[in-house]
Amino acid sequence: MEKKDLDWGSLGFSYMKTDYSYVCNYHDGAWEEGGLTTDHTVVLSECAGILHYCQECFEGLKAYTTESGDIVCFRPDLNAKRMADSEKRLVMPQFPEDKFVEAVKQVVKANAAWVPPFGSGATLYIRPLMFATGEVIGVKPADAYQFRILVTPVGPYFKAGAGKPITICVAKYDRAAPHGTGNIKAGLNYAMSLYPYELAHKNGFSENLYLDSETRTYVEETGGANVLFVDKDGTLVVPKSFTDSILPSITRRSLVHVAEHMLGMRVDERPVKFQEVLDGEFVECGLCGTAAVISPVGHIVDGDKEVTFEKGCEKMGPVMEKLRTTLTGIQSGAVEGPEGWVCKIC
Ligand SMILES: *Cc1c(COP(=O)(O)O)cnc(C)c1O
């Protein structure tokens, strides 16, 4: 198979049309067979539910080439499960989890020429999404939906100067209501995070750190990534929400497993008071998600207060580095990981 003639090393994180998308429609109480399409547009009624009451959810994962030349993706079954949870919360029909994994494989295989070669650092980003196409005017769930997967090649998250720790700020706004939709991957969670995101950027920060919106006491996560800390004893401390408003990151769950079962580390998943962060209890901090695996955080600013993570402010700290190297090693096939984590496509 001939690869597309792209400068893989200089790709950014932006959308580029590939050869195929996957599409499957739901109507009259059932999913159609579904399949590949070369049409990368969507035509909707002006009264489609997505346009009025925002019934939409999505996923994000990536396909890449291993050293041995296989095209693989990472734990797509967990994306399928999380998407099903999002659908349920938004009163959307369940897209069968096995059909989800098959659809991911089918669309990646059809676009194999767009999967960046091993060593380029680039990956094929996979974006499954579902939205209400049925017409609604009164507030209620729609009766027709479209499930779609688009894929697009994206560049390495860290370019030259790799992984320089970022500075983030504590947001004055909330990301998710207590017991709201913070634990599902819905577009609506992002719509209202754009204003604080732009504000953070204008003030020179890379991201917002959100505290729990009920008490503004505990650390939750950033706009699009979970937070990890390392304390003075080398324990991995993972913020837990008592109002269930943190998105269950697959990267975070994988890193916790790697830390506990492969690196013999202590892991403490518990509510973390922001005051502990201010008091200097933690020596490293990182943000985790599919795109970067771990992005190191060097400083957190909260108004006139600033915290510096002493072991991770010049470059990524040693514990985060070890976690990142191990997980990316598993993903690339260089390190043997738990059964079933790496899913071979072709
Ligand atoms: C997608 C997402 C993450 C990261 O999840 P991964 O499964 O690790 O990519 C974290 N927080 C939010 C709010 C997200 O939407």
Side-chain angles (χ1 to χ4, degrees):
M1 170 260 321
E2 187 98 12
K3 290 282 177 191
K4 298 287 169 181
D5 184 22
L6 294 180
D7 183 3
W8 304 104
S10 61
L11 290 172
F13 200 91
S14 54
Y15 172 67
M16 180 188 292
K17 258 187 278 192
T18 57
D19 293 334
Y20 299 98
S21 287
Y22 176 93
V23 65
C24 186
N25 290 302
Y26 177 94
H27 53 85
D28 301 309
W31 288 104
E32 286 179 348
E33 177 60 24
L36 299 173
T37 176
T38 54
D39 186 355
H40 300 286
T41 63
V42 176
V43 177
L44 286 174
S45 161
E46 63 187 358
C47 214
I50 173 59
L51 301 177
H52 301 267
Y53 306 124
C54 211
Q55 268 184 297
E56 188 267 358
C57 60
F58 65 96
E59 273 302 323
L61 65 161
K62 56 196 185 186
Y64 47 94
T65 311
T66 63
E67 192 162 9
S68 57
D70 292 340
I71 293 176
V72 301
C73 61
F74 187 68
R75 308 187 78 181
D77 52 318
L78 295 191
N79 295 96
K81 169 72 169 69
R82 188 169 65 187
M83 182 109 172
D85 291 341
S86 301
E87 289 154 7
K88 200 166 171 190
R89 178 66 174 81
L90 297 171
V91 201
M92 297 163 83
Q94 300 275 286
F95 194 75
E97 291 173 40
D98 51 347
K99 193 174 167 88
F100 177 107
V101 174
E102 283 312 309
V104 166
K105 288 182 177 171
Q106 195 182 348
V107 72
V108 171
K109 199 168 173 183
N111 289 296
W114 295 91
V115 180
F118 176 76
S120 63
T123 58
L124 187 74
Y125 187 72
I126 307 166
R127 167 56 58 86
L129 66 157
M130 191 196 291
F131 49 91
T133 53
E135 294 165 356
V136 286
I137 195 76
V139 178
K140 64 168 192 223
D143 59 6
Y145 295 84
Q146 183 166 107
F147 173 87
R148 221 177 156 85
I149 305 177
L150 68 86
V151 299
T152 190
V154 295
Y157 194 82
F158 292 131
K159 300 239 161 170
K164 184 139 181 51
I166 56 171
T167 298
I168 64 176
C169 62
V170 175
K172 298 275 179 286
Y173 294 84
D174 294 324
R175 187 189 83 88
H179 314 290
T181 54
N183 60 351
I184 61 164
K185 221 166 166 73
L188 55 88
N189 289 333
Y190 279 83
M192 24 59 122
S193 76
L194 296 176
Y195 184 80
Y197 185 71
E198 291 292 298
L199 199 60
H201 273 207
K202 212 171 72 192
N203 292 328
F205 302 108
S206 303
E207 253 295 359
N208 280 302
L209 177 68
Y210 291 98
L211 304 184
D212 80 283
S213 39
E214 193 165 293
T215 67
R216 289 278 171 89
T217 307
Y218 294 92
V219 174
E220 293 223 311
E221 63 172 317
T222 64
N226 284 182
V227 184
L228 304 170
F229 296 105
V230 176
D231 74 10
K232 291 167 182 160
D233 302 328
T235 299
L236 183 67
V237 179
V238 184
K240 193 164 156 177
S241 167
F242 49 86
T243 52
D244 199 14
S245 34
I246 295 178
L247 195 282
S249 158
I250 293 165
T251 314
R252 183 249 298 166
R253 287 180 276 160
S254 303
L255 288 167
V256 162
H257 184 96
V258 163
E260 271 182 336
H261 301 283
M262 294 177 68
L263 300 175
M265 290 173 58
R266 260 212 318 259
V267 178
D268 200 2
E269 295 190 74
R270 60 169 173 88
V272 174
K273 284 200 165 88
F274 185 63
Q275 190 60 45
E276 298 176 58
V277 180
L278 286 175
D279 290 343
E281 297 294 329
F282 304 114
V283 295
E284 293 183 43
C285 176
L287 307 182
C288 66
T290 293
V293 179
I294 298 179
S295 326
V297 175
H299 308 268
I300 301 180
V301 172
D302 179 25
D304 54 8
K305 291 179 242 148
E306 175 164 350
V307 185
T308 299
F309 296 98
E310 62 179 64
K311 290 200 179 158
C313 60
E314 300 291 328
K315 58 181 175 62
M316 187 180 290
V319 177
M320 294 292 173
E321 185 63 56
K322 192 162 71 181
L323 283 166
R324 198 189 67 89
T325 321
T326 310
L327 191 61
T328 53
I330 293 171
Q331 291 178 335
S332 71
V335 175
E336 171 121 36
E339 180 82 31
W341 278 22
V342 175
C343 167
K344 183 169 166 178
I345 294 170
C346 56

